[in-house]
Amino acid sequence: MASWSSPAAAPCRFLSPLATAASSRALLSFPTPTTRRRLLLSSTATTIAAAMAASSPSPPCKVLDSHLHVWASPQQAKEGYPYFPGQEATLRGDADFLLECMDEAGVDGALIVQPINHMFDHSLVTSVLKKYPSKFIGCCLANPADDGSGIKQLEHLIVQEKYRAVRFNPNLWPPGQKMTNEVGRSLFAKAGELGAPVGIMTMKGIGLYIQEIEELCRDYPETTVILDHMAFCKPPTNNEEEKAFSSFLNLSRFPKVYVKYSALFRISREAYPYEDTAQLLFRVISNYGANLIMWGSDFPFVVPECGYKGAKEAVSHAASKISVSPSDLEWILGRTVSQLFQGAWVAP
């Protein structure tokens, strides 16, 4: 299989004290052999130093998880971070557990996506972002309420609380409403105005939402879009699934659309290491380029499936099956999300 590659002081002269002004002028006008030698050595040293600097390997790119969640522990839920009614956590998903998992897997930082467990109450995630500012950045959850209150909330979360992205969950729109309604358009436009990418979750299938996504991308080209979990496309097994996957690939015609190669357990038809997703990745790289693709674990949901470390290793395994180049793998494992959210994951 072919390998894929993506889009990369004058020396000082010191003179000894001179006996006369005449001899000084002579030396300055006609350098002695010793002076010329010093100049040559200095110039050579400078050239060698520059060559060494140019050939030195660049620092390794950070491994960054573009998609995970945190929520309150049962104790935290009692003490001020309650779950949304009916969305009580059934898995451990507190920040301490996440940090343990990241340390074991060698993951340097992550984008925390506001979980449905706390709905539009962002206080728990905000507390984690403030406690670990060089480790995490946040993606808030859009509130598409009919009264438009979610627009002000979005602006507050991005401007005041420093969230860097927003998630659109079409299942949260009022019954019968689409993401392209007046509130949805206002939220999408506001996100673009504030420089916050919009992550879109198409859990029920890209086919149900492709027209809405295309309309938003066409009408608001300044807004960046991220398609969560490969738009929930599994390896196609029939014409209908191939059509849906092709529609997802065709979104690459919009230059500000990114893809999360994330939650592989959700998009695979096989057991770990989810090797059938390699062909999906091959086609996505072919259409989008590795510099628009980012890995994500979907912690903590991934933990009972293959473990957090396993989620990261599955990406490298799939990449090895389609001869993804080391540079492209570096983009997927961290460079893409790092460039998208510039200034993040930097020690204060």
Side-chain angles (χ1 to χ4, degrees):
M1 189 70 66
S3 177
W4 292 92
S5 296
S6 291
C12 296
R13 184 186 302 157
F14 295 93
L15 300 176
S16 301
L18 302 174
T20 66
S23 61
S24 175
R25 285 193 298 271
L27 281 172
L28 288 172
S29 301
F30 305 99
T32 64
T34 301
T35 303
R36 287 198 298 271
R37 183 184 180 196
R38 288 174 181 167
L39 284 169
L40 178 61
L41 289 173
S42 177
S43 176
T44 302
T46 301
T47 302
I48 293 173
M52 291 178 64
S55 63
S56 297
S58 57
C61 183
K62 289 183 177 181
V63 176
L64 302 170
D65 188 339
S66 74
H67 193 104
L68 53 73
H69 310 278
V70 293
W71 50 67
S73 66
Q75 186 62 34
Q76 288 175 316
K78 293 177 182 178
E79 295 176 351
Y81 299 109
Y83 303 123
F84 188 79
Q87 297 290 345
E88 292 77 11
T90 58
L91 294 173
R92 184 181 177 188
D94 57 274
D96 289 341
F97 181 41
L98 170 60
L99 289 167
E100 291 175 12
C101 292
M102 291 174 64
D103 184 62
E104 178 192 10
V107 175
D108 301 298
L111 173 66
I112 300 177
V113 179
Q114 170 72 7
I116 199 72
N117 309 72
H118 294 289
M119 198 58 76
F120 305 120
D121 178 1
H122 290 71
S123 57
L124 184 279
V125 171
T126 299
S127 71
V128 175
L129 299 179
K130 291 181 176 179
K131 187 174 182 179
Y132 304 102
S134 63
K135 199 79 171 178
F136 302 117
I137 62 172
C139 173
C140 60
L141 181 62
N143 180 357
D146 283 331
D147 62 5
S149 58
I151 301 170
K152 287 187 176 181
Q153 183 187 35
L154 173 63
E155 187 165 12
H156 169 78
L157 289 168
I158 294 174
V159 176
Q160 301 298 325
E161 302 297 350
K162 308 305 179 185
Y163 281 73
R164 298 293 301 271
V166 56
R167 188 180 215 191
F168 273 30
N169 181 345
N171 297 321
L172 298 179
W173 260 250
Q177 297 291 311
K178 295 182 177 181
M179 292 184 290
T180 49
N181 69 0
E182 183 178 353
V183 170
R185 284 175 163 272
S186 296
L187 286 166
F188 196 84
K190 177 60 69 174
E193 176 188 323
L194 297 173
V198 175
I200 302 180
M201 182 177 74
T202 60
M203 183 172 280
K204 294 182 179 180
I206 186 68
L208 293 176
Y209 310 108
I210 187 65
Q211 291 183 349
E212 297 169 57
I213 296 171
E214 289 178 333
E215 185 176 328
L216 290 170
C217 289
R218 183 179 63 250
D219 294 350
Y220 305 95
E222 71 281 2
T223 302
T224 297
V225 169
I226 305 173
L227 299 169
D228 294 346
H229 310 331
M230 300 275 276
F232 286 84
C233 290
K234 293 187 176 185
T237 58
N238 54 50
N239 289 338
E240 183 178 351
E241 291 174 351
E242 178 59 37
K243 181 180 178 180
F245 188 65
S246 294
S247 70
F248 155 58
L249 295 178
N250 287 337
L251 288 173
S252 63
R253 70 186 188 275
F254 298 106
K256 300 188 75 171
V257 174
Y258 289 72
V259 175
K260 287 183 180 179
Y261 180 55
S262 53
L264 302 192
F265 66 95
R266 297 188 187 277
I267 61 174
S268 175
R269 300 184 187 278
E270 300 178 356
Y272 184 82
Y274 317 125
E275 193 170 303
D276 60 339
T277 68
Q279 288 306 313
L280 297 179
L281 179 61
F282 179 89
R283 295 177 67 182
V284 172
I285 293 176
S286 299
N287 283 265
Y288 286 87
N291 63 315
L292 295 178
I293 304 169
M294 58 192 87
W295 161 74
S297 68
D298 203 17
F299 172 94
F301 298 110
V302 74
V303 174
E305 300 292 336
C306 65
Y308 185 81
K309 185 178 181 181
K312 175 194 165 190
E313 292 174 345
V315 176
S316 298
H317 177 77
S320 71
K321 296 301 177 181
I322 55 173
S323 301
V324 173
S325 69
S327 61
D328 277 3
L329 184 58
E330 189 175 78
W331 279 102
I332 294 167
L333 286 175
R335 192 174 295 281
T336 296
V337 70
S338 178
Q339 291 211 356
L340 180 58
F341 298 105
Q342 293 189 15
W345 302 292
V346 177

